[in-house]
């Protein structure tokens, strides 16, 4: 019996072209002592994968080596086991790569409940949820009555950030790249305002939506919206720098706002990456599961099918064409 996996064979120059990947077919391996064989059912496509393809050794996680299976997280079932912690039939999640089958020694593998749909786990309990949760509760530390703005607001992380802040009694403004996405935020998720950053009068709309200024800024994109948002920050405001997707495929990063403004408005700006906080997954997972159970968090998914769809499908994230958590169903 054979299976397919996606190997990274070339580093992208700027955009992710399909020739950076090679889909190989191999015989399904047999797990050794201490190992398990996992049959993957769902893979997660995330903007961070663009960074993992770059040769930068000075990041929070080493680059994927050329010739290796492309790193990605996924959900699957243990189908053969030589590891008593993960018996046959266990449902597991971990960074197993863009592959139909994976061998694991159990390191970094988490057991997940069988009753929750895979889509709910990948959209809420996995990376998007723990990122939103950490950024909101540990970095921004919101208080009722404050105004929070979030970019890539209709995306996996951003949509959860806004809903968490609404549930805490904040005024929430979302910034997204289409009118449909903005409508989903205000009509379905209860955001107070949603602004399309591509509109010519973006700055005017932003001013109108943030009459009392902005206390908390959850930054997912960078790009042209960043400067005008920064200019509306209130004294002692806080900025959580989670992602800068507008820069991931650029030769040079965009210039940020002047540091003078940080002093004048006594701002706190903190970057964070989740691998530093993976030890808190059980705690965050429990909190997110409870929110989901109480109906406090809605999510939507954008599902593409088959391992071969991953190699071009990842670009949906950078084109703004994903409408929800981008998932590959195997
Ligand atoms: N720090 C961490 O540990 C961590 C963990 C997870 C994610 N992140 C970051 O969080 C951000 C959101 O990730 P996600 O998984 O939730 O993805 P997502 O928001 O579901 O999808 C990415 C979205 O980014 C927007 N976008 C793409 N190019 C853009 C551009 N040039 N300017 C402005 N917006 C652009 C698009 O939405 P529009 O249609 O609205 O443009 C696109 O749908 C990313 O920057 C990611 O790297 C960080």
């Amino acid at each position: 019996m054979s299976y397919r996996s996606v190997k990274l064979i070339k580093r992208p120059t700027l955009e992710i072209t399909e020739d950076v990947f090679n889909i190989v077919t191999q015989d399904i391996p047999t797990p050794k002592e201490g190992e398990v064989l996992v049959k993957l059912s769902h893979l997660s496509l995330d903007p961070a994968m663009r960074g993992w393809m770059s040769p930068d050794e000075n990041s929070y996680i080493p680059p994927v080596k050329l010739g290796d299976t492309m790193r990605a997280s996924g959900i699957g079932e243990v189908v053969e086991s030589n590891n008593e912690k993960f018996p046959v039939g266990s449902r597991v999640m971990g960074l197993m790569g863009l592959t139909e089958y994976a061998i694991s020694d159990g390191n970094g593998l988490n057991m997940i409940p069988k009753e929750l749909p895979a889509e709910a786990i990948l959209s809420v309990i996995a990376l998007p949820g723990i990122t939103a949760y950490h950024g909101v509760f540990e970095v921004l530390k919101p208080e009722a009555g404050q105004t929070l703005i979030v970019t890539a607001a209709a995306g996996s992380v951003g949509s959860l950030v806004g809903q968490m802040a609404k549930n805490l009694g904040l005024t929430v403004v979302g910034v997204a790249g289409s009118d449909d996405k903005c409508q989903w935020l205000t009509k379905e998720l209860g955001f107070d305002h949603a602004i399309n950053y591509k509109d010519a009068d973006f700055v005017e709309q932003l001013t109108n939506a943030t009459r009392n200024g902005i206390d908390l800024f959850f930054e997912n994109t960078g790009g042209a919206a960043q400067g005008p948002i920064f200019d509306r920050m209130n004294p002692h405001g806080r900025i959580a720098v989670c992602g800068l997707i507008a820069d991931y495929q650029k030769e040079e990063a965009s210039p940020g706002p002047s540091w003078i403004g940080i002093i004048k408005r006594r701002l706190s700006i903190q970057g964070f990456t989740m691998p530093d906080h993976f030890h808190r997954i059980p705690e965050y997972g429990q909190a997110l599961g409870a929110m989901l159970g109480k109906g406090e968090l809605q999510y939507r998914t954008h599902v593409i099918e088959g391992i071969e769809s991953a190699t071009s499908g990842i670009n949906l994230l950078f084109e703004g064409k994903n409408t929800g958590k981008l998932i590959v169903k195997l």
Side-chain angles (χ1 to χ4, degrees):
M1 277 258 291
S2 60
Y3 75 105
R4 291 172 301 167
S5 55
V6 177
K7 307 288 179 187
L8 181 72
I9 56 164
K10 212 168 123 182
R11 305 218 176 269
T13 316
L14 293 174
E15 280 150 28
I16 305 173
T17 46
E18 286 203 54
D19 62 346
V20 305
F21 299 118
N22 188 21
I23 302 181
V24 299
T25 304
Q26 288 162 293
D27 289 340
I28 295 177
T30 308
K32 299 194 195 89
E33 197 45 46
E35 291 182 340
V36 293
L37 176 68
V38 179
K39 183 178 193 296
L40 278 295
S41 62
H42 296 80
L43 307 174
S44 176
L45 295 180
D46 295 285
M49 291 165 71
R50 175 63 186 82
W52 302 340
M53 293 178 201
S54 92
D56 186 2
E57 298 278 351
N58 291 320
S59 191
Y60 62 97
I61 191 168
V64 177
K65 289 196 190 115
L66 292 183
D68 278 3
T69 300
M70 183 58 214
R71 186 185 294 140
S73 63
I75 289 181
E77 186 185 325
V78 174
V79 289
E80 278 182 54
S81 177
N82 291 319
N83 182 326
E84 60 187 21
K85 281 196 207 148
F86 302 99
V88 169
S90 307
R91 197 175 189 211
V92 290
M93 181 165 69
L95 279 173
M96 291 177 276
L98 292 182
T99 181
E100 292 171 327
Y101 281 83
I103 290 281
S104 167
D105 62 6
N107 260 330
L109 213 58
N110 291 297
M111 288 280 233
I112 48 167
K114 286 192 179 164
E115 58 277 7
L116 272 182
E119 285 84 358
I121 293 169
L122 288 178
S123 305
V124 180
I125 316 286
L127 188 67
I130 61 169
T131 305
Y133 191 90
H134 183 84
V136 168
F137 290 95
E138 299 290 325
V139 181
L140 293 181
K141 301 186 170 108
E143 286 164 30
Q146 290 182 316
T147 296
L148 176 145
I149 192 162
V150 55
T151 47
S156 324
V157 174
S159 59
L160 296 175
V161 167
Q163 291 178 81
M164 287 173 190
K166 270 316 301 171
N167 294 338
L168 293 166
L170 278 80
T171 297
V172 174
V173 183
V175 176
S178 77
D179 293 345
D180 282 351
K181 289 184 181 183
C182 288
Q183 284 220 347
W184 180 61
L185 295 174
T186 50
K187 300 243 159 73
E188 306 283 328
L189 302 191
F191 281 44
D192 297 281
H193 305 276
I195 313 170
N196 184 342
Y197 64 86
K198 293 173 182 164
D199 284 352
D201 63 346
F202 170 74
V203 176
E204 196 183 328
Q205 288 188 53
L206 177 70
T207 308
N208 289 333
T210 57
R211 284 282 167 212
N212 296 324
I214 298 167
D215 302 298
L216 307 172
F217 173 17
F218 195 111
E219 171 64 299
N220 280 322
T221 64
Q226 190 185 64
I229 294 174
F230 183 87
D231 289 343
R232 297 213 44 85
M233 291 299 298
N234 286 331
H236 302 288
R238 283 192 292 280
I239 303 177
V241 187
C242 172
L244 292 174
I245 194 167
D247 276 352
Y248 293 171
Q249 299 190 315
K250 276 197 188 149
E251 215 148 338
E252 276 182 40
S254 320
S258 161
W259 282 26
I260 293 279
I262 303 176
I263 302 174
K264 285 187 177 166
R265 274 169 282 153
R266 289 87 79 205
L267 301 177
S268 303
I269 304 179
Q270 189 180 326
F272 70 98
T273 60
M274 286 320 290
D276 286 349
H277 310 286
F278 276 174
H279 59 284
R280 300 190 69 179
I281 286 178
E283 176 195 342
Y284 290 177
Q286 210 162 26
L288 289 159
M291 289 178 186
L292 196 60
K294 283 191 258 172
E296 290 176 1
L297 296 177
Q298 292 181 51
Y299 64 91
R300 61 180 186 183
T301 54
H302 187 130
V303 179
I304 55 178
E305 299 214 2
I307 187 114
E308 62 284 355
S309 69
T311 58
S312 59
I314 188 165
N315 282 309
L316 294 169
L317 294 166
F318 301 96
E319 293 160 354
K321 290 187 181 151
N322 64 308
T323 47
K325 173 74 201 103
L326 188 56
I327 292 172
V328 180
K329 189 167 181 284
L330 297 178

